[in-house]
Structure formats: C-alpha cells, structure tokens
Amino acid sequence: MLEIRSLRHEYAGRTVLDVPSWDVGKGESSLVLGPSGSGKTTLLNVIAGLATPTAGTLRVAGEEITRLSPSARDAFRARKVGLVLQTLHLIGVVSVRENLRLAQRLAGSPVDDSRIDEVLASLAVAALAGARARDISVGEAQRVAIARAVVNRPALILADEPTSALDDANCEKALALLLDQAAACGATLLVATHDNRIRSRFARRLEL
C-alpha cells in the first residue's frame, strides 16, 4: 500500500523530513512517532499529496504520488485517502450530513445518503446528521471528522495527533474508533503522534 524510498523534504534550507525506507502493507495499522518538529505532520502531508518532497519516491496504492500533477494529486487524495487532521476543518455553517456529502462529491462519487447514515450510525452520531457542524461538541466533531474520512471507503486513512489533546478515556475511545473504521473499510491506517499512551496498540512503528 505504501512504499517510501529516500524520501526527504527541506524547508528554508533545513531538512525537516528524512525517511530512507518504509513500507506499510494493505490493511495494516502503523504509528509514526516523534517529538514536535520531528516531521510527522510533514510526512502525512507528503503522503496525502498536500506537499511535494524535495527528493525521493513515494508510492501509494501503486501510484507514484510525486509524479502526479497538483490536480491529479487532489483527485487521487479525494478518492483514495481519508484525512483526520489536528484541525478538523468541518464546514460549520452546513449540516453534518452536508459535510459528508461534500466529501463524496469531491471524490467524484454520487451522493449516497444510505452510506452516510451507515457511517454516522457506526460512530454513534446519526442523530446529528441535520445539525450544523458548528453547533456540535468537540467530541462529536471528532467523530464526524472520522466519518467524513471513511465515508468513501478509502484505501488509506491518515490521522495527525488524533489523541494528544484528549484525556485517557477519550483517547482510548478515539483510537478505538479509528481502528474499527479502518478495519471496516479494509484500509491502511497511519497515525502520527507524540502520545506515548497509544504506542502499545500498534505493532508497527516508524520513529522520526
């Protein structure tokens, strides 16, 4: 699913990411560990096609991401990648359902309300489908962000620091939701974090 070779990214003349080699198979879950500033977010952005590396090769689901045009990368990301970012980026003025419909449209898929209902129900937020995103709680918004990430059944789910701001109970809940949803989609899951509480839940790790 993911193949990285000699991947490097520089910013303002400084190397902010250096990954000699890393492979993650289809359906596997892996943790990207490191302190703040170690390049975790940069790595996820490069994998998602949101940033272009300075050097190296990167293949996601058989596609060489670094060779795609910006528009092709956007289309690939919409179809194949589910993102759960530190800032959730829900559109506050529209409903929860409309946020998920937009994700389907961006992927070039027809709107499928039955799939949206299924995902929201699996995350225990079905009752919020008609609520505006800005009117729901932080915990509910996190669940909706996970729903949006998986509604198109992505091949790859990327989560950036999804638990670091949560207490122990909610940390466990958020992680369980991500793992369960990745398993339901048959997706590869990459979680970037400096939260050592979740280290034991992942057999595979990349330390930056």
Side-chain angles (χ1 to χ4, degrees):
M1 170 56 64
L2 177 67
E3 301 174 26
I4 288 176
R5 298 292 182 270
S6 304
L7 192 69
R8 190 176 78 256
H9 191 59
E10 297 177 356
Y11 179 74
R14 182 173 67 91
T15 298
V16 296
L17 178 67
D18 187 2
V19 182
S21 179
W22 191 41
D23 294 336
V24 183
K26 179 176 172 56
E28 291 185 340
S29 296
S30 188
L31 204 58
V32 181
L33 287 167
S36 296
S38 62
K40 301 184 303 298
T41 295
T42 299
L43 176 60
L44 262 60
N45 285 341
V46 169
I47 292 171
L50 293 169
T52 302
T54 305
T57 60
L58 166 65
R59 297 181 69 84
V60 178
E63 189 76 56
E64 176 52 72
I65 300 299
T66 56
R67 294 182 181 177
L68 297 179
S69 67
S71 60
R73 272 186 284 175
D74 289 345
F76 180 85
R77 181 172 57 254
R79 294 193 316 272
K80 297 290 187 179
V81 181
L83 291 171
V84 184
L85 302 175
Q86 292 185 60
T87 302
L88 300 178
H89 294 298
L90 297 176
I91 301 174
V93 297
V94 302
S95 70
V96 165
R97 180 182 299 281
E98 193 57 39
N99 271 271
L100 271 65
R101 284 173 172 167
L102 179 59
Q104 291 178 331
R105 293 188 189 103
L106 289 174
S109 302
V111 169
D112 183 352
D113 281 335
S114 64
R115 170 62 179 166
I116 290 172
D117 290 340
E118 173 191 349
V119 173
L120 292 176
S122 72
L123 290 162
V125 286
L128 300 175
R132 288 183 299 185
R134 69 183 183 189
D135 294 333
I136 63 179
S137 72
V138 173
E140 291 165 344
Q142 186 175 50
R143 288 172 179 254
V144 171
I146 294 173
R148 182 185 58 188
V150 304
V151 70
N152 294 317
R153 298 183 177 89
L156 176 64
I157 299 171
L158 305 177
D160 190 10
E161 298 286 6
T163 62
S164 59
L166 303 177
D167 60 29
D168 289 349
N170 285 310
C171 168
E172 181 59 33
K173 289 178 183 177
L175 182 60
L177 289 172
L178 281 167
L179 290 168
D180 289 348
Q181 289 299 314
C185 294
T188 298
L189 172 65
L190 304 183
V191 176
T193 189
H194 65 272
D195 187 349
N196 284 320
R197 293 175 298 176
I198 67 175
R199 180 189 288 261
S200 64
R201 297 291 300 273
F202 292 80
R204 301 206 57 200
R205 303 171 196 133
L206 173 68
E207 302 214 25
L208 298 177

